[in-house]
Amino acid sequence: MTARRVALVAAVVLGIALAVVIAVRTPWVPLPEPAGGHTAVDPTAGLSADRVARAEAFAAALRPASLVSLLLGLAVSALLGLTRAGARIVRAAAAPLGGGWVWQVLLGVVALAVLGRLVTLPLSAYGEVVRHRYGLSTRSWGLWLRDVWVSVAIDAALTALSLLVLVWLARRAPRTWWAWAGAGAAALVVAGSFLWPVLVEPAFNRFEPLAAGQLRADLLQLAEENGTPVQDVLVSDASRRTTALNAYVSGFGSTRRVVLYDTVLDRLPDDQIESIVAHELGHVATDDVLTGTLMGALGAGAGVAALGWLLSSPRLLRRAGADSAGDPRVIPLLLFLMTVGTLVSTPVQNAVSRHVEARADVHALDLTRDPDAFAAMQQDLAGSNLSDPDPPAAWQWFFGSHPTAAQRLAMAADWARLDRP
């Protein structure tokens, strides 16, 4: 069997393993159907006509720009990856430092990342204008630019280092590089899950412990009752950037903590905050992060094996102006293939995510036994975050990572009709 065929077989086997994990670990039916059938979904989610109209107007102003940005980024990536233009940029970026292959990879990735971001920057700026217009963003333009370039810097640095290792492996082991790189990619996914809250989150927000008081005591007690004690309850200075409401649980073991946006503390009563935190604790109780990490690791391994198969095609390499997977001029093609893979996997990831989020909603209701607070919280989140309570089906299928507000309220009504233990 040729090395190229081995890579294809490995990609298929890992893809099948990923499909099995998705099938087994996804909560396809997070809540049984109550007697008499499911509660009808109210497309307004109980929001006033003015709030619904405002959310729909916000979405109508933002969706076209988001879609154009996605397609423009894909088109630029294709232009650079499927022609020799990208290879020329890679070589030119490294020329001032002698043009060695290491500099071609590192500086080529940075140059391509900055170019890609510059192309879509006007659309991002338009999106920020819309968020300012509707009162969702509180960032100054200086802070917005800082956030954009910090994000680009982090992404470019991680991508450059990862691809440097990949190209080095391809140069050292031309037939089996994809196997070693796939194992490394899977390991990076696992490491990233543990290190993200410690290394990346502080680059964008400051965190302070929630002041001692009844709410802090109640949230720590809620985590204990959930069987997932946390080390701390922190408050993020999210209001520097947004008026949106959110909370989450991040970290593992000794780094696990509840994080509340300061906007949540300012605008929601304690029972609704407890409902949000109970939802996030549901993800911990059902090991959703660990399952997601396993899925990500399998997906990364399958993706790199697929790259091993694709980059064994002389025709594809010639189109990109590269000689082999160990040629640094292959970087634009690699980035394009990674972009396509991410785009193709997005609806699958979001389908799984919607079911996982629905199970966390059920967990929150089971833990707090307060469907009224849950419903009020969902309505306040939808109103404050300008979430369309009933988005177009195609948009929700592709981009929706959570059930809609209308669906979540109907599920809460179903929960109240069931005799849950």
Side-chain angles (χ1 to χ4, degrees), residues 22 341-354 400-401:
I22 290 174
T342 300
L343 188 63
V344 170
S345 66
T346 292
V348 176
Q349 293 177 34
N350 284 335
V352 172
S353 176
R354 288 192 294 272
S401 61

Short mmCIF file of all heavy atoms in Angstrom, two decimals, residues 22 341-354 400-401:
data_model
loop_
_atom_site.label_atom_id
_atom_site.label_comp_id
_atom_site.label_asym_id
_atom_site.label_seq_id
_atom_site.Cartn_x
_atom_site.Cartn_y
_atom_site.Cartn_z
N ILE A 22 -19.29 11.09 18.31
CA ILE A 22 -20.40 12.05 18.19
C ILE A 22 -21.73 11.35 18.40
O ILE A 22 -22.60 11.84 19.14
CB ILE A 22 -20.35 12.74 16.81
CG1 ILE A 22 -19.16 13.69 16.73
CG2 ILE A 22 -21.65 13.49 16.53
CD1 ILE A 22 -18.95 14.30 15.35
N GLY A 341 -11.64 22.91 5.60
CA GLY A 341 -12.01 21.89 6.59
C GLY A 341 -12.82 22.47 7.72
O GLY A 341 -13.81 21.88 8.17
N THR A 342 -12.42 23.65 8.20
CA THR A 342 -13.16 24.31 9.28
C THR A 342 -14.57 24.67 8.82
O THR A 342 -15.55 24.46 9.56
CB THR A 342 -12.42 25.59 9.72
OG1 THR A 342 -11.13 25.24 10.20
CG2 THR A 342 -13.19 26.31 10.82
N LEU A 343 -14.68 25.18 7.60
CA LEU A 343 -15.99 25.57 7.07
C LEU A 343 -16.92 24.37 6.92
O LEU A 343 -18.09 24.42 7.31
CB LEU A 343 -15.81 26.28 5.72
CG LEU A 343 -17.04 26.93 5.11
CD1 LEU A 343 -17.54 28.06 6.00
CD2 LEU A 343 -16.72 27.44 3.71
N VAL A 344 -16.39 23.29 6.40
CA VAL A 344 -17.22 22.09 6.19
C VAL A 344 -17.66 21.49 7.52
O VAL A 344 -18.79 20.98 7.64
CB VAL A 344 -16.43 21.05 5.36
CG1 VAL A 344 -17.15 19.71 5.35
CG2 VAL A 344 -16.22 21.56 3.94
N SER A 345 -16.81 21.55 8.53
CA SER A 345 -17.14 20.93 9.82
C SER A 345 -18.05 21.80 10.69
O SER A 345 -18.62 21.31 11.67
CB SER A 345 -15.86 20.61 10.59
OG SER A 345 -15.17 21.80 10.96
N THR A 346 -18.20 23.08 10.35
CA THR A 346 -18.95 24.00 11.19
C THR A 346 -20.38 23.56 11.46
O THR A 346 -20.81 23.53 12.62
CB THR A 346 -18.92 25.42 10.60
OG1 THR A 346 -17.60 25.93 10.67
CG2 THR A 346 -19.85 26.36 11.36
N PRO A 347 -21.18 23.21 10.45
CA PRO A 347 -22.56 22.81 10.76
C PRO A 347 -22.64 21.54 11.61
O PRO A 347 -23.57 21.39 12.42
CB PRO A 347 -23.20 22.60 9.38
CG PRO A 347 -22.08 22.47 8.43
CD PRO A 347 -20.95 23.25 9.00
N VAL A 348 -21.68 20.63 11.46
CA VAL A 348 -21.68 19.42 12.28
C VAL A 348 -21.38 19.79 13.73
O VAL A 348 -22.06 19.34 14.66
CB VAL A 348 -20.63 18.41 11.75
CG1 VAL A 348 -20.56 17.19 12.67
CG2 VAL A 348 -20.96 18.00 10.33
N GLN A 349 -20.35 20.61 13.94
CA GLN A 349 -20.01 21.05 15.29
C GLN A 349 -21.18 21.76 15.95
O GLN A 349 -21.47 21.55 17.13
CB GLN A 349 -18.80 21.98 15.24
CG GLN A 349 -17.50 21.32 14.81
CD GLN A 349 -16.36 22.32 14.72
OE1 GLN A 349 -16.28 23.26 15.48
NE2 GLN A 349 -15.48 22.11 13.77
N ASN A 350 -21.84 22.62 15.20
CA ASN A 350 -22.95 23.38 15.78
C ASN A 350 -24.16 22.51 16.06
O ASN A 350 -24.89 22.75 17.04
CB ASN A 350 -23.32 24.55 14.86
CG ASN A 350 -22.32 25.69 14.96
OD1 ASN A 350 -21.64 25.85 15.96
ND2 ASN A 350 -22.23 26.49 13.91
N ALA A 351 -24.40 21.50 15.23
CA ALA A 351 -25.51 20.58 15.51
C ALA A 351 -25.28 19.85 16.83
O ALA A 351 -26.19 19.71 17.66
CB ALA A 351 -25.66 19.58 14.36
N VAL A 352 -24.05 19.38 17.03
CA VAL A 352 -23.70 18.73 18.29
C VAL A 352 -23.83 19.72 19.44
O VAL A 352 -24.41 19.42 20.50
CB VAL A 352 -22.28 18.14 18.23
CG1 VAL A 352 -21.85 17.63 19.61
CG2 VAL A 352 -22.20 17.03 17.20
N SER A 353 -23.31 20.92 19.25
CA SER A 353 -23.33 21.94 20.30
C SER A 353 -24.76 22.27 20.73
O SER A 353 -25.02 22.43 21.93
CB SER A 353 -22.62 23.20 19.80
OG SER A 353 -22.71 24.24 20.76
N ARG A 354 -25.69 22.37 19.80
CA ARG A 354 -27.07 22.72 20.17
C ARG A 354 -27.67 21.67 21.09
O ARG A 354 -28.39 22.00 22.05
CB ARG A 354 -27.92 22.88 18.91
CG ARG A 354 -27.61 24.14 18.11
CD ARG A 354 -28.67 24.41 17.06
NE ARG A 354 -28.70 23.40 16.01
CZ ARG A 354 -27.97 23.43 14.91
NH1 ARG A 354 -27.10 24.42 14.70
NH2 ARG A 354 -28.08 22.49 13.99
N GLY A 400 -25.85 28.40 14.16
CA GLY A 400 -26.39 28.39 15.51
C GLY A 400 -25.72 27.36 16.41
O GLY A 400 -25.90 26.16 16.23
N SER A 401 -24.97 27.83 17.39
CA SER A 401 -24.30 26.91 18.32
C SER A 401 -25.17 26.61 19.54
O SER A 401 -24.84 25.70 20.31
CB SER A 401 -22.97 27.51 18.79
OG SER A 401 -23.18 28.74 19.46
#
